[in-house]
Amino acid sequence: MHSFRDQFTAIVIGASGGIGQAVYAALKKNPRCGEVIALSRSSTPPLDLTDEISIANAAADMKKNLGAIDLVFVASGILAPAGKGPEKTIRHIEQADMSTVFAVNAIGPALIARHFAPLLVRDSKSVFAFLSARVGSIGDNQLGGWISYRASKAALNQIIRTASVEIARTRKQSVCLALHPGTVDTKLSSDYTTEYEKFTPQQCAEKLLSVIENKKPPESGGFFDYAGKAIDW
């Protein structure tokens, strides 16, 4: 990853999931990555997207022990609360379930941006990358269903877009990205059949890191798929 400074520092949030684990492993093997830290509810320090205190404490720990960060990759997300599936129709919307999905997919990442953006390096390229999903595209929605998941990812995309504007004011070389990983063979997608080819987590990590490598500040705040192609908002 030659667009970053040599021996760059990276953080993977949600590193206990399939894509997060694969991104962490790929960065760990990269000779230009000096250090990569995996954060999750089971890490030290722990980070829980539904607990702002844990997010703030983790950011403070990273600032103390790592200093400036070059790459923050947020790989967290849920389709629905545990034991449930995405709504097939608006008649199935439940307030508590929708609140849970938004807490993990939108509010948590917004708090990550709040507490981790100040850690980004100022004088070279930095990237804040978040896993989004094509179904979060309003313009691309032709099938309906999955209301909470779709809406939470659409909200995430707006959060990323807005954060990109603010971060760029003090970090001119920053790049904020909403990334669609494709259909990946992980626990999240295992219960849902698809006509599309599934990537392994390792293939997905390679593709997403390639997108991160090639995107530049003028593209900050954009919504891209695993091949680097822009997705309709």
Side-chain angles (χ1 to χ4, degrees):
M1 303 185 73
H2 294 281
S3 64
F4 293 97
R5 60 179 179 166
D6 190 30
Q7 297 304 292
F8 68 91
T9 300
I11 296 173
V12 180
I13 296 172
S16 60
I19 295 175
Q21 286 180 1
V23 169
Y24 173 80
L27 289 168
K28 193 78 172 174
K29 294 177 182 177
N30 192 297
R32 298 196 79 255
C33 183
E35 187 160 14
V36 55
I37 301 297
L39 294 177
S40 68
R41 285 179 295 178
S42 59
S43 64
T44 304
L47 188 153
D48 184 340
L49 284 180
T50 63
D51 179 0
E52 185 176 3
I53 293 176
S54 77
I55 294 171
N57 288 343
D61 187 272
M62 295 300 102
K63 181 178 180 179
K64 177 182 177 181
N65 293 299
L66 296 180
I69 308 300
D70 302 87
L71 169 61
V72 179
F73 189 101
V74 183
S76 300
I78 60 171
L79 284 174
K84 297 189 175 182
E87 311 98 335
K88 294 182 180 180
T89 167
I90 57 174
R91 297 189 302 276
H92 295 162
I93 291 174
E94 297 286 347
Q95 180 178 355
D97 293 347
M98 180 174 271
S99 295
T100 296
V101 174
F102 266 78
V104 175
N105 290 352
I107 298 172
L111 294 172
I112 292 292
R114 174 188 175 183
H115 291 285
F116 280 80
L119 277 61
L120 294 175
V121 63
R122 289 178 179 269
D123 56 359
S124 61
K125 179 179 177 177
S126 63
V127 173
F128 226 140
F130 299 78
L131 280 189
S132 185
R134 187 181 295 276
V135 295
S137 166
I138 295 172
D140 190 56
N141 185 357
Q142 304 298 323
L143 297 175
W146 291 34
I147 299 94
S148 295
Y149 186 66
R150 286 183 185 276
S152 66
K153 290 298 186 178
L156 172 63
N157 290 348
Q158 181 67 280
I159 290 164
I160 295 166
R161 181 73 169 190
T162 303
S164 73
V165 175
E166 183 172 337
I167 293 171
R169 292 172 183 157
T170 56
R171 292 159 174 81
K172 302 299 183 184
Q173 298 183 60
S174 62
V175 183
C176 294
L177 301 171
L179 298 176
H180 167 59
T183 304
V184 185
D185 191 11
T186 64
K187 182 179 180 181
L188 184 141
S189 63
S190 62
D191 293 335
Y192 301 93
T193 59
T194 176
E195 65 207 60
Y196 302 107
E197 175 187 6
K198 283 188 178 182
F199 299 128
T200 66
Q202 293 73 27
Q203 289 172 324
C204 175
E206 180 181 340
K207 292 176 183 294
L208 295 180
L209 289 174
S210 178
V211 176
I212 288 169
E213 167 72 3
N214 289 299
K215 292 303 175 184
K216 297 177 173 58
E219 298 167 287
S220 186
F223 183 18
F224 302 97
D225 70 9
Y226 52 85
K229 183 178 178 181
I231 299 174
D232 187 5
W233 292 113

